[in-house]
Amino acid sequence: MRKTFFALLTLTLCSAVGAPLHAQQLQGDFLVAGPPDATSDAGGGIFVVNLAANSRTLLQNLPADLRRTSYLIQDPTNPLAWYAGTRGPVRGNAGPVYVYRFTTSTGRVLSARKLNTQNLTTDTEIKSLAIAGDKLIFASETRVESMPLTGGAATTLFAFARPTNNFPAMVSDGRYLYANIFNTGNGYRTGAGSIWRHDLQDLTKRVSL
């Protein structure tokens, strides 16, 4: 049982790290986040990919901030709701970056709301998202933070020095955060090729898997 869980977890984390575009299945189609050009900031957005027609269409009514979506996950309680993290105007430059929740139907955004109340102006990109019970956990290159799914002030779980946290991947079962996070700045590592389980009720407790 443990080996099966570990294998599935490893597959999930590797998929999140390895895919340059982040996609989730929705009623036979896919929503795919494609950030704009790294230099010119042209293009970008969230697209509906129709597998049968081999085509993609930009979501209509998309807020300007979401044109720079860098990571996308689906709300497990609502197949029409999504959480998105963005990057700064030019890849590698500081933000601001945002976390959004939005809903979709028939190829258009029905509603969208920015969740983070603090302006994340020193980060360049939201690199990973995970849902843990009633919390949304997000990772940038300098921090991992938690905030209510409904939005509001965030609590820092881990903080890093630059340059760091280039390839974070996270999943959660509500109690624990399973993470592959590598910090090259100050020697703090939760990853470096391994997966660590962090107790969200007591972050001093972590176990290498």
Side-chain angles (χ1 to χ4, degrees):
M1 178 70 178
R2 175 173 175 165
K3 289 183 178 179
T4 301
F5 171 75
F6 183 78
L8 290 173
L9 174 65
T10 303
L11 177 62
T12 301
L13 291 177
C14 289
S15 297
V17 172
L21 300 178
H22 303 280
Q24 302 289 336
Q25 194 168 7
L26 177 62
Q27 297 179 350
D29 292 337
F30 281 83
L31 281 190
V32 177
D37 183 89
T39 303
S40 68
D41 196 39
I46 300 175
F47 302 86
V48 179
V49 176
N50 186 313
L51 299 179
N54 193 27
S55 65
R56 70 171 190 174
T57 306
L58 183 68
L59 273 179
Q60 299 179 42
N61 200 32
L62 190 70
D65 289 336
L66 293 184
R67 187 173 62 83
R68 299 190 180 102
T69 296
S70 57
Y71 205 91
L72 183 66
I73 61 172
Q74 191 174 32
D75 184 336
T77 67
N78 182 350
L80 300 181
W82 303 80
Y83 294 93
T86 72
R87 69 166 172 81
V90 178
R91 186 176 181 86
N93 290 0
V97 298
Y98 305 108
V99 178
Y100 269 78
R101 184 182 189 273
F102 67 97
T103 59
T104 65
S105 181
T106 61
R108 64 184 294 109
V109 174
L110 298 180
S111 64
R113 185 165 60 92
K114 185 175 75 171
L115 299 181
N116 54 304
T117 55
Q118 300 106 317
N119 286 323
L120 302 177
T121 58
T122 61
D123 298 280
T124 66
E125 184 177 354
I126 300 297
K127 293 176 175 286
S128 189
L129 296 165
I131 294 174
D134 61 352
K135 303 292 185 183
L136 180 67
I137 299 175
F138 59 94
S140 70
E141 76 280 5
T142 65
R143 71 189 88 188
V144 177
E145 297 199 337
S146 171
M147 67 179 173
L149 285 174
T150 54
T155 300
T156 300
L157 303 181
F158 313 110
F160 308 114
R162 281 193 176 96
T164 185
N165 207 21
N166 292 321
F167 305 105
M170 307 182 300
V171 292
S172 177
D173 60 8
R175 169 66 186 275
Y176 296 101
L177 178 70
Y178 301 86
N180 178 24
I181 299 169
F182 177 48
N183 175 28
T184 59
N186 57 16
Y188 180 82
R189 300 181 183 183
T190 68
S194 63
I195 297 170
W196 287 70
R197 184 184 70 194
H198 298 265
D199 189 335
L200 292 174
Q201 297 181 8
D202 184 353
L203 290 175
T204 65
K205 298 179 180 179
R206 62 180 187 267
V207 177
S208 174
L209 302 178

